[in-house]
Amino acid sequence: KQYVAVYSGIGGWAGIGLAAGLVNPNDGLGAVGGYASLSDYTALGGQLTVFALPN
């Protein structure tokens, strides 16, 4: 069987400020300042969806 997994949610470079609680706009190579308003639109958390491909 083959499976496909899809992760959705905040993470990576854009989510470093939320995930680590950073407040300095220059932290995360500028990601904290660049995505400062991200917390107005989303929260930490994610979802992993896995399904099997038909034979």
Side-chain angles (χ1 to χ4, degrees):
K1 265 199 183 284
Q2 288 187 319
Y3 297 90
V4 175
V6 179
Y7 176 76
S8 61
I10 294 297
W13 185 69
I16 189 64
L18 285 174
L22 302 175
V23 293
N24 183 334
N26 296 317
D27 286 344
L29 299 175
V32 175
Y35 292 94
S37 63
L38 190 59
S39 63
D40 295 342
Y41 304 101
T42 189
L44 286 178
Q47 179 174 324
L48 178 64
T49 303
V50 181
F51 58 93
L53 297 176
N55 291 333

Short mmCIF file of all heavy atoms in Angstrom, two decimals:
data_model
loop_
_atom_site.label_atom_id
_atom_site.label_comp_id
_atom_site.label_asym_id
_atom_site.label_seq_id
_atom_site.Cartn_x
_atom_site.Cartn_y
_atom_site.Cartn_z
N LYS A 1 0.82 -1.19 0.00
CA LYS A 1 0.00 0.00 0.00
C LYS A 1 0.87 1.25 0.00
O LYS A 1 1.94 1.27 0.57
CB LYS A 1 -0.87 0.02 1.25
CG LYS A 1 -2.24 -0.54 1.03
CD LYS A 1 -3.15 -0.06 2.15
CE LYS A 1 -4.50 -0.64 2.03
NZ LYS A 1 -5.36 -0.09 1.04
N GLN A 2 0.36 2.27 -0.63
CA GLN A 2 1.01 3.57 -0.59
C GLN A 2 0.11 4.54 0.15
O GLN A 2 -1.11 4.49 0.05
CB GLN A 2 1.28 4.10 -2.00
CG GLN A 2 2.37 3.36 -2.73
CD GLN A 2 2.69 4.04 -4.04
OE1 GLN A 2 1.79 4.47 -4.76
NE2 GLN A 2 3.96 4.13 -4.36
N TYR A 3 0.76 5.41 0.91
CA TYR A 3 0.04 6.39 1.71
C TYR A 3 0.50 7.79 1.33
O TYR A 3 1.64 7.99 0.93
CB TYR A 3 0.29 6.17 3.20
CG TYR A 3 -0.23 4.84 3.69
CD1 TYR A 3 0.58 3.71 3.66
CD2 TYR A 3 -1.53 4.72 4.17
CE1 TYR A 3 0.11 2.50 4.11
CE2 TYR A 3 -2.00 3.50 4.62
CZ TYR A 3 -1.19 2.39 4.58
OH TYR A 3 -1.66 1.18 5.02
N VAL A 4 -0.40 8.75 1.48
CA VAL A 4 -0.08 10.15 1.28
C VAL A 4 -0.39 10.87 2.59
O VAL A 4 -1.46 10.67 3.17
CB VAL A 4 -0.91 10.78 0.13
CG1 VAL A 4 -0.65 12.27 0.01
CG2 VAL A 4 -0.58 10.08 -1.17
N ALA A 5 0.55 11.69 3.04
CA ALA A 5 0.36 12.47 4.27
C ALA A 5 0.49 13.96 3.92
O ALA A 5 1.42 14.35 3.22
CB ALA A 5 1.38 12.08 5.32
N VAL A 6 -0.45 14.76 4.40
CA VAL A 6 -0.45 16.20 4.13
C VAL A 6 -0.50 16.93 5.47
O VAL A 6 -1.44 16.73 6.24
CB VAL A 6 -1.65 16.62 3.26
CG1 VAL A 6 -1.65 18.11 3.02
CG2 VAL A 6 -1.66 15.84 1.96
N TYR A 7 0.52 17.74 5.74
CA TYR A 7 0.55 18.54 6.95
C TYR A 7 0.05 19.94 6.62
O TYR A 7 0.45 20.52 5.61
CB TYR A 7 1.97 18.61 7.52
CG TYR A 7 2.07 19.51 8.72
CD1 TYR A 7 1.61 19.08 9.95
CD2 TYR A 7 2.57 20.79 8.62
CE1 TYR A 7 1.66 19.92 11.05
CE2 TYR A 7 2.64 21.63 9.71
CZ TYR A 7 2.18 21.19 10.93
OH TYR A 7 2.22 22.00 12.02
N SER A 8 -0.82 20.46 7.46
CA SER A 8 -1.28 21.83 7.26
C SER A 8 -1.21 22.57 8.58
O SER A 8 -1.42 21.99 9.64
CB SER A 8 -2.71 21.86 6.71
OG SER A 8 -3.59 21.23 7.63
N GLY A 9 -0.89 23.85 8.52
CA GLY A 9 -0.79 24.66 9.72
C GLY A 9 0.40 25.60 9.63
O GLY A 9 1.08 25.69 8.61
N ILE A 10 0.64 26.29 10.72
CA ILE A 10 1.73 27.26 10.78
C ILE A 10 3.03 26.56 11.14
O ILE A 10 3.07 25.75 12.05
CB ILE A 10 1.44 28.35 11.81
CG1 ILE A 10 0.25 29.17 11.35
CG2 ILE A 10 2.63 29.24 12.06
CD1 ILE A 10 0.48 29.92 10.07
N GLY A 11 4.07 26.91 10.45
CA GLY A 11 5.38 26.36 10.74
C GLY A 11 6.43 26.99 9.84
O GLY A 11 6.16 27.92 9.10
N GLY A 12 7.61 26.48 9.93
CA GLY A 12 8.70 26.96 9.09
C GLY A 12 9.10 28.39 9.41
O GLY A 12 8.91 28.89 10.51
N TRP A 13 9.64 29.05 8.41
CA TRP A 13 10.19 30.39 8.59
C TRP A 13 9.11 31.38 9.00
O TRP A 13 9.31 32.21 9.88
CB TRP A 13 10.86 30.83 7.29
CG TRP A 13 11.56 32.13 7.36
CD1 TRP A 13 12.70 32.40 8.06
CD2 TRP A 13 11.20 33.34 6.72
NE1 TRP A 13 13.07 33.71 7.88
CE2 TRP A 13 12.16 34.32 7.06
CE3 TRP A 13 10.16 33.71 5.88
CZ2 TRP A 13 12.11 35.61 6.59
CZ3 TRP A 13 10.11 35.00 5.42
CH2 TRP A 13 11.09 35.94 5.77
N ALA A 14 7.94 31.31 8.41
CA ALA A 14 6.87 32.26 8.73
C ALA A 14 6.34 32.09 10.15
O ALA A 14 5.92 33.05 10.78
CB ALA A 14 5.72 32.10 7.74
N GLY A 15 6.37 30.89 10.69
CA GLY A 15 5.80 30.65 12.00
C GLY A 15 6.77 30.68 13.15
O GLY A 15 6.38 30.43 14.29
N ILE A 16 8.04 31.00 12.91
CA ILE A 16 9.05 30.94 13.97
C ILE A 16 8.72 31.89 15.12
O ILE A 16 8.95 31.55 16.28
CB ILE A 16 10.47 31.20 13.43
CG1 ILE A 16 11.53 30.92 14.49
CG2 ILE A 16 10.62 32.62 12.92
CD1 ILE A 16 11.61 29.51 14.95
N GLY A 17 8.18 33.05 14.84
CA GLY A 17 7.85 34.00 15.91
C GLY A 17 6.75 33.47 16.82
O GLY A 17 6.83 33.58 18.04
N LEU A 18 5.72 32.89 16.21
CA LEU A 18 4.64 32.30 17.00
C LEU A 18 5.12 31.09 17.79
O LEU A 18 4.83 30.95 18.97
CB LEU A 18 3.49 31.87 16.09
CG LEU A 18 2.59 32.95 15.53
CD1 LEU A 18 1.61 32.36 14.54
CD2 LEU A 18 1.86 33.65 16.64
N ALA A 19 5.85 30.22 17.14
CA ALA A 19 6.27 28.98 17.78
C ALA A 19 7.25 29.20 18.92
O ALA A 19 7.20 28.49 19.92
CB ALA A 19 6.89 28.05 16.73
N ALA A 20 8.12 30.16 18.79
CA ALA A 20 9.16 30.38 19.80
C ALA A 20 8.86 31.55 20.72
O ALA A 20 9.64 31.85 21.61
CB ALA A 20 10.51 30.58 19.12
N GLY A 21 7.75 32.25 20.51
CA GLY A 21 7.40 33.39 21.35
C GLY A 21 8.34 34.57 21.18
O GLY A 21 8.57 35.33 22.11
N LEU A 22 8.89 34.74 19.99
CA LEU A 22 9.84 35.82 19.73
C LEU A 22 9.09 37.14 19.50
O LEU A 22 8.01 37.15 18.92
CB LEU A 22 10.69 35.48 18.51
CG LEU A 22 11.46 34.17 18.59
CD1 LEU A 22 12.16 33.90 17.27
CD2 LEU A 22 12.46 34.20 19.73
N VAL A 23 9.68 38.23 19.96
CA VAL A 23 9.05 39.54 19.79
C VAL A 23 9.93 40.56 19.06
O VAL A 23 9.43 41.54 18.53
CB VAL A 23 8.60 40.13 21.14
CG1 VAL A 23 7.48 39.30 21.73
CG2 VAL A 23 9.74 40.24 22.12
N ASN A 24 11.24 40.34 19.03
CA ASN A 24 12.15 41.25 18.34
C ASN A 24 11.93 41.09 16.83
O ASN A 24 12.06 40.00 16.29
CB ASN A 24 13.61 40.91 18.70
CG ASN A 24 14.61 41.85 18.07
OD1 ASN A 24 14.35 42.45 17.03
ND2 ASN A 24 15.76 41.99 18.70
N PRO A 25 11.60 42.18 16.12
CA PRO A 25 11.31 42.10 14.69
C PRO A 25 12.47 41.54 13.86
O PRO A 25 12.25 41.05 12.75
CB PRO A 25 11.01 43.53 14.27
CG PRO A 25 10.77 44.28 15.52
CD PRO A 25 11.44 43.54 16.63
N ASN A 26 13.69 41.60 14.37
CA ASN A 26 14.85 41.12 13.62
C ASN A 26 15.14 39.64 13.86
O ASN A 26 15.96 39.06 13.16
CB ASN A 26 16.09 41.94 13.98
CG ASN A 26 15.93 43.38 13.56
OD1 ASN A 26 15.45 43.67 12.48
ND2 ASN A 26 16.31 44.30 14.43
N ASP A 27 14.47 39.03 14.83
CA ASP A 27 14.69 37.60 15.10
C ASP A 27 14.18 36.76 13.94
O ASP A 27 13.34 37.18 13.15
CB ASP A 27 13.98 37.18 16.38
CG ASP A 27 14.68 37.70 17.63
OD1 ASP A 27 15.85 38.10 17.52
OD2 ASP A 27 14.06 37.69 18.70
N GLY A 28 14.71 35.56 13.86
CA GLY A 28 14.29 34.66 12.78
C GLY A 28 14.65 35.21 11.42
O GLY A 28 13.92 35.03 10.46
N LEU A 29 15.80 35.88 11.34
CA LEU A 29 16.27 36.51 10.10
C LEU A 29 15.22 37.46 9.52
O LEU A 29 15.03 37.55 8.32
CB LEU A 29 16.66 35.45 9.06
CG LEU A 29 17.79 34.52 9.47
CD1 LEU A 29 18.01 33.44 8.42
CD2 LEU A 29 19.07 35.29 9.71
N GLY A 30 14.50 38.15 10.42
CA GLY A 30 13.50 39.12 9.99
C GLY A 30 12.10 38.56 9.86
O GLY A 30 11.16 39.31 9.57
N ALA A 31 11.94 37.26 10.06
CA ALA A 31 10.61 36.65 9.92
C ALA A 31 9.64 37.18 10.95
O ALA A 31 8.45 37.34 10.64
CB ALA A 31 10.71 35.13 10.03
N VAL A 32 10.11 37.45 12.16
CA VAL A 32 9.21 37.94 13.21
C VAL A 32 8.60 39.27 12.81
O VAL A 32 7.39 39.49 12.94
CB VAL A 32 9.95 38.04 14.56
CG1 VAL A 32 9.07 38.66 15.62
CG2 VAL A 32 10.43 36.66 15.01
N GLY A 33 9.40 40.18 12.29
CA GLY A 33 8.87 41.47 11.83
C GLY A 33 8.04 41.34 10.57
O GLY A 33 7.01 41.99 10.42
N GLY A 34 8.46 40.47 9.68
CA GLY A 34 7.75 40.30 8.41
C GLY A 34 6.39 39.65 8.57
O GLY A 34 5.49 39.88 7.75
N TYR A 35 6.23 38.84 9.59
CA TYR A 35 4.97 38.13 9.81
C TYR A 35 4.36 38.50 11.16
O TYR A 35 3.69 37.69 11.79
CB TYR A 35 5.19 36.62 9.72
CG TYR A 35 5.55 36.17 8.33
CD1 TYR A 35 6.87 36.02 7.94
CD2 TYR A 35 4.56 35.92 7.40
CE1 TYR A 35 7.19 35.63 6.66
CE2 TYR A 35 4.87 35.53 6.12
CZ TYR A 35 6.19 35.39 5.74
OH TYR A 35 6.51 35.00 4.48
N ALA A 36 4.56 39.73 11.60
CA ALA A 36 4.08 40.17 12.91
C ALA A 36 2.57 40.06 13.04
O ALA A 36 2.06 39.75 14.11
CB ALA A 36 4.54 41.60 13.16
N SER A 37 1.84 40.28 11.98
CA SER A 37 0.38 40.24 12.07
C SER A 37 -0.20 38.84 11.86
O SER A 37 -1.41 38.66 11.89
CB SER A 37 -0.24 41.19 11.04
OG SER A 37 0.09 40.78 9.74
N LEU A 38 0.66 37.85 11.70
CA LEU A 38 0.19 36.49 11.46
C LEU A 38 -0.70 35.99 12.60
O LEU A 38 -1.69 35.30 12.37
CB LEU A 38 1.38 35.54 11.29
CG LEU A 38 1.11 34.14 10.80
CD1 LEU A 38 0.43 34.16 9.45
CD2 LEU A 38 2.40 33.35 10.72
N SER A 39 -0.38 36.38 13.83
CA SER A 39 -1.17 35.92 14.97
C SER A 39 -2.58 36.51 14.97
O SER A 39 -3.46 36.01 15.68
CB SER A 39 -0.47 36.25 16.28
OG SER A 39 -0.34 37.65 16.43
N ASP A 40 -2.83 37.55 14.18
CA ASP A 40 -4.18 38.10 14.05
C ASP A 40 -5.09 37.19 13.23
O ASP A 40 -6.31 37.31 13.30
CB ASP A 40 -4.15 39.47 13.38
CG ASP A 40 -3.44 40.52 14.21
OD1 ASP A 40 -3.26 40.31 15.43
OD2 ASP A 40 -3.04 41.56 13.62
N TYR A 41 -4.50 36.31 12.45
CA TYR A 41 -5.27 35.50 11.51
C TYR A 41 -5.26 34.01 11.82
O TYR A 41 -6.09 33.28 11.29
CB TYR A 41 -4.73 35.70 10.08
CG TYR A 41 -4.73 37.13 9.67
CD1 TYR A 41 -3.57 37.88 9.69
CD2 TYR A 41 -5.92 37.75 9.28
CE1 TYR A 41 -3.58 39.22 9.32
CE2 TYR A 41 -5.93 39.09 8.91
CZ TYR A 41 -4.76 39.81 8.92
OH TYR A 41 -4.77 41.13 8.56
N THR A 42 -4.33 33.56 12.65
CA THR A 42 -4.22 32.13 12.92
C THR A 42 -3.59 31.91 14.28
O THR A 42 -3.13 32.85 14.92
CB THR A 42 -3.39 31.44 11.81
OG1 THR A 42 -3.49 30.03 11.99
CG2 THR A 42 -1.94 31.86 11.85
N ALA A 43 -3.57 30.68 14.71
CA ALA A 43 -2.96 30.30 15.98
C ALA A 43 -2.07 29.09 15.74
O ALA A 43 -2.13 28.45 14.69
CB ALA A 43 -4.04 29.96 17.00
N LEU A 44 -1.25 28.79 16.72
CA LEU A 44 -0.41 27.61 16.59
C LEU A 44 -1.27 26.36 16.53
O LEU A 44 -2.36 26.31 17.07
CB LEU A 44 0.54 27.51 17.79
CG LEU A 44 1.69 28.49 17.80
CD1 LEU A 44 2.52 28.31 19.07
CD2 LEU A 44 2.58 28.29 16.60
N GLY A 45 -0.73 25.38 15.92
CA GLY A 45 -1.45 24.11 15.78
C GLY A 45 -1.40 23.67 14.34
O GLY A 45 -1.03 24.43 13.46
N GLY A 46 -1.76 22.47 14.13
CA GLY A 46 -1.74 21.95 12.77
C GLY A 46 -2.53 20.67 12.71
O GLY A 46 -3.12 20.21 13.68
N GLN A 47 -2.51 20.11 11.53
CA GLN A 47 -3.24 18.87 11.31
C GLN A 47 -2.45 18.01 10.35
O GLN A 47 -1.87 18.52 9.39
CB GLN A 47 -4.61 19.19 10.71
CG GLN A 47 -5.46 17.99 10.42
CD GLN A 47 -6.85 18.40 9.98
OE1 GLN A 47 -7.41 19.36 10.46
NE2 GLN A 47 -7.40 17.66 9.04
N LEU A 48 -2.43 16.73 10.61
CA LEU A 48 -1.80 15.78 9.72
C LEU A 48 -2.90 14.86 9.19
O LEU A 48 -3.57 14.18 9.96
CB LEU A 48 -0.74 14.96 10.44
CG LEU A 48 -0.04 13.90 9.61
CD1 LEU A 48 0.76 14.54 8.47
CD2 LEU A 48 0.86 13.04 10.46
N THR A 49 -3.10 14.89 7.89
CA THR A 49 -4.11 14.05 7.24
C THR A 49 -3.39 12.97 6.44
O THR A 49 -2.53 13.29 5.61
CB THR A 49 -5.00 14.89 6.31
OG1 THR A 49 -5.58 15.95 7.08
CG2 THR A 49 -6.09 14.06 5.69
N VAL A 50 -3.70 11.73 6.69
CA VAL A 50 -3.07 10.60 6.00
C VAL A 50 -4.15 9.75 5.36
O VAL A 50 -5.17 9.45 5.98
CB VAL A 50 -2.24 9.72 6.99
CG1 VAL A 50 -1.57 8.58 6.26
CG2 VAL A 50 -1.23 10.57 7.73
N PHE A 51 -3.92 9.38 4.12
CA PHE A 51 -4.87 8.49 3.45
C PHE A 51 -4.11 7.52 2.58
O PHE A 51 -2.99 7.77 2.15
CB PHE A 51 -5.94 9.26 2.66
CG PHE A 51 -5.38 10.19 1.61
CD1 PHE A 51 -5.21 9.76 0.30
CD2 PHE A 51 -5.03 11.49 1.94
CE1 PHE A 51 -4.72 10.61 -0.66
CE2 PHE A 51 -4.55 12.36 0.98
CZ PHE A 51 -4.38 11.92 -0.32
N ALA A 52 -4.74 6.38 2.32
CA ALA A 52 -4.16 5.33 1.48
C ALA A 52 -4.64 5.50 0.04
O ALA A 52 -5.78 5.87 -0.20
CB ALA A 52 -4.54 3.95 1.99
N LEU A 53 -3.75 5.23 -0.88
CA LEU A 53 -4.12 5.25 -2.29
C LEU A 53 -4.80 3.94 -2.65
O LEU A 53 -4.42 2.88 -2.14
CB LEU A 53 -2.88 5.46 -3.15
CG LEU A 53 -2.16 6.79 -2.96
CD1 LEU A 53 -0.91 6.83 -3.80
CD2 LEU A 53 -3.07 7.95 -3.31
N PRO A 54 -5.79 3.99 -3.53
CA PRO A 54 -6.46 2.74 -3.92
C PRO A 54 -5.52 1.86 -4.74
O PRO A 54 -4.60 2.34 -5.39
CB PRO A 54 -7.64 3.21 -4.74
CG PRO A 54 -7.30 4.59 -5.20
CD PRO A 54 -6.35 5.16 -4.18
N ASN A 55 -5.78 0.58 -4.69
CA ASN A 55 -4.96 -0.38 -5.47
C ASN A 55 -5.24 -0.26 -6.93
O ASN A 55 -6.25 0.08 -7.40
CB ASN A 55 -5.23 -1.80 -5.01
CG ASN A 55 -4.68 -2.01 -3.61
OD1 ASN A 55 -3.74 -1.35 -3.21
ND2 ASN A 55 -5.29 -2.92 -2.88
#
